[in-house]
Amino acid sequence: MSCCTFAVTELLVESEVCSFSMGMWQKRITASSASFAVVVYRKSFFLASCGGGGGGGCGHAFLHCISYEELYDVENLRAGYERLKRTTSPGIDGRIMREELTERGFERLSDELRRQRYAPKPAQRLILPTPEGGRPLSIACTVDKVVLSTLKTLTEPLFEPKFRESSHGFRPGRSCHSALRSLRSSWIGISWLVPLELKNSFQKVHHDILLKEMEPVMRSKSVEDLMRKILNAGYVDIHNLTNRSEYGTSQLVMGTIISPLCANVFLHSLDCYVEDVLIPDYNSGDMSTEAECEIAKRLKYLRYADSILLGVKGSKQDAVDMRAAVQSFLLRRLKLDIDEYKSPILNARSDMAKFLGTLIAYG
């Protein structure tokens, strides 16, 4: 069901909430507006509009946004806590998840959130070794994990239907394997492969831009303020507490519970730009016959979190132009840049592109 995702609950019919289209049919949903949001969350039901085109839109046609009351609801906090793994490492508070959060603890956290006195602590930062030199991982405190888990559980079902088919990273039912299957099945006749690597990844994320992208779901000023607190909490390197030169509040602290969702929300506009602007403008010709296929032009696009791959059927100059267009959009819209040295233009027949740990080439 590409147009909408929805669920029918046993709520009493009191007032009309919204209408939405499903194919050629028009449906009207009626529900108790006072209790709809909380009941929807507790029963894992949700209602969200996807926008046009079957793959999620870029418009802000959300049928529901979360309220601040949902965030400090004790039952929602308890459900968020239950979703956490009991084996996760402790943050800077040293508290482990095996230590149960008591009923009084949930009530205290709910009260702090309700009074807007909750202040998230900096995450503990670790560096995971990688061939590229290391990737940061941040571990939040136990109480902060509960808030982040609750926030993610409330917002992810509302953002998820808006995301595009080309986005595979950290999404329910998607993985590296689904991205590579898509590449293998639909990337036909590609001449040039362009893997794009972002400079410093999400080390420099403009918080105002991210909050603007999240605004359709987080319209409440209190929810926005909470999200800004979470973003500004930053991290602490416990192995080098005296050096704070690299600490910054313009970062998206990676490795926390909500950071993958934030990354997908932040880069969603890039998915829309490539699919709605670049691809329609570039694609030309008919692929139905061999003669026409030779002169046809096609642009393909895949993204897994911050790993991006372009496939171009055309000339090398076309590939250069497509890379420049994406780079220009990232700079203009998201204040990000690509590392040109690590974003080469590769001949699909003679070179191999590395994407998601896989070497890709066309024989």
Side-chain angles (χ1 to χ4, degrees):
M1 200 176 306
S2 61
C3 182
C4 317
T5 305
F6 69 98
V8 179
T9 70
E10 62 272 26
L11 294 173
L12 295 175
V13 176
E14 293 183 6
S15 60
E16 290 185 345
V17 174
C18 58
S19 66
F20 63 96
S21 62
M22 184 173 62
M24 295 181 65
W25 296 89
Q26 290 288 329
K27 297 279 186 181
R28 291 200 72 80
I29 299 297
T30 57
S32 169
S33 58
S35 58
F36 181 73
V38 173
V39 173
V40 162
Y41 169 59
R42 290 178 187 169
K43 291 185 174 290
S44 298
F45 292 156
F46 59 88
L47 178 63
S49 169
C50 295
C58 279
H60 293 164
F62 290 88
L63 300 183
H64 174 61
C65 58
I66 65 169
S67 67
Y68 193 64
E69 289 74 15
E70 291 174 85
L71 275 170
Y72 65 71
D73 181 87
V74 173
E75 291 301 316
N76 289 349
L77 291 171
R78 188 180 290 109
Y81 173 76
E82 291 300 322
R83 289 173 64 94
L84 296 172
K85 295 180 180 179
R86 296 294 187 268
T87 56
T88 53
S89 301
I92 60 173
D93 62 347
R95 187 174 181 179
I96 57 177
M97 288 302 301
R98 289 192 295 272
E99 299 175 4
E100 291 292 330
L101 198 62
T102 64
E103 186 64 29
R104 184 177 179 182
F106 283 117
E107 291 175 356
R108 185 186 301 114
L109 177 58
S110 174
D111 186 63
E112 287 181 0
L113 287 165
R114 181 177 61 83
R115 294 168 176 262
Q116 300 189 28
R117 293 179 178 176
Y118 165 75
K121 295 179 174 63
Q124 176 181 330
R125 193 186 210 200
L126 304 174
I127 301 296
L128 301 179
T130 65
E132 292 76 23
R135 194 170 185 87
L137 173 67
S138 303
I139 305 173
C141 297
T142 298
V143 171
D144 296 339
K145 286 189 181 101
V146 174
V147 175
L148 292 172
S149 177
T150 305
L151 184 60
K152 180 186 176 184
T153 309
L154 285 167
T155 57
E156 187 175 49
L158 301 174
F159 284 120
E160 179 61 30
K162 297 290 290 182
F163 293 152
R164 295 299 180 96
E165 290 295 316
S166 56
S167 170
H168 292 261
F170 305 104
R171 295 180 57 192
R174 291 170 177 263
S175 64
C176 295
H177 299 290
S178 66
L180 294 173
R181 280 195 299 267
S182 173
L183 187 151
R184 184 175 183 178
S185 63
S186 62
W187 287 41
I188 301 171
I190 299 299
S191 310
W192 305 94
L193 293 168
V194 188
L196 301 178
E197 181 163 327
L198 301 179
K199 279 186 179 178
N200 300 321
S201 190
F202 292 103
Q203 296 302 304
K204 295 293 180 183
V205 166
H206 201 296
H207 289 177
D208 290 336
I209 296 176
L210 175 58
L211 291 171
K212 185 68 175 177
E213 296 294 332
M214 303 182 95
E215 186 179 36
V217 165
M218 299 182 179
R219 294 179 188 173
S220 164
K221 182 65 165 57
S222 298
V223 177
E224 180 184 334
D225 289 344
L226 173 62
M227 191 64 205
R228 192 177 290 278
K229 285 181 182 179
I230 291 170
L231 292 172
N232 288 339
Y235 66 86
V236 170
D237 183 353
I238 62 171
H239 300 294
N240 191 11
L241 293 175
T242 59
N243 181 11
R244 304 287 285 170
S245 60
E246 294 185 0
Y247 175 84
T249 57
S250 62
Q251 298 173 336
L252 175 57
V253 179
M254 299 306 292
T256 61
I257 294 168
I258 203 169
S259 58
L261 176 62
C262 291
N264 279 329
V265 171
F266 194 74
L267 289 174
H268 175 61
S269 59
L270 173 64
D271 302 340
C272 295
Y273 171 69
V274 174
E275 293 189 7
D276 298 343
V277 178
L278 287 187
I279 291 178
D281 287 350
Y282 178 77
N283 286 3
S284 64
D286 193 351
M287 298 279 286
S288 58
T289 67
E290 186 174 344
E292 293 173 326
C293 184
E294 287 295 322
I295 59 173
K297 293 187 174 185
R298 290 292 183 272
L299 175 63
K300 293 290 186 177
Y301 170 79
L302 273 179
R303 181 176 65 81
Y304 186 97
D306 58 344
S307 297
I308 301 167
L309 183 65
L310 298 177
V312 179
K313 185 180 184 301
S315 67
K316 184 174 183 179
Q317 186 58 48
D318 291 336
V320 171
D321 293 342
M322 292 302 103
R323 184 180 67 177
V326 170
Q327 184 176 24
S328 175
F329 178 85
L330 287 170
L331 284 168
R332 183 179 68 256
R333 175 71 181 267
L334 301 177
K335 312 301 182 190
L336 293 175
D337 197 5
I338 65 172
D339 188 328
E340 293 189 17
Y341 178 75
K342 296 182 179 180
S343 305
I345 295 173
L346 304 171
N347 188 306
R349 302 291 174 180
S350 59
D351 300 323
M352 288 191 293
K354 188 175 182 180
F355 184 64
L356 302 180
T358 303
L359 295 177
I360 300 166
Y362 286 77

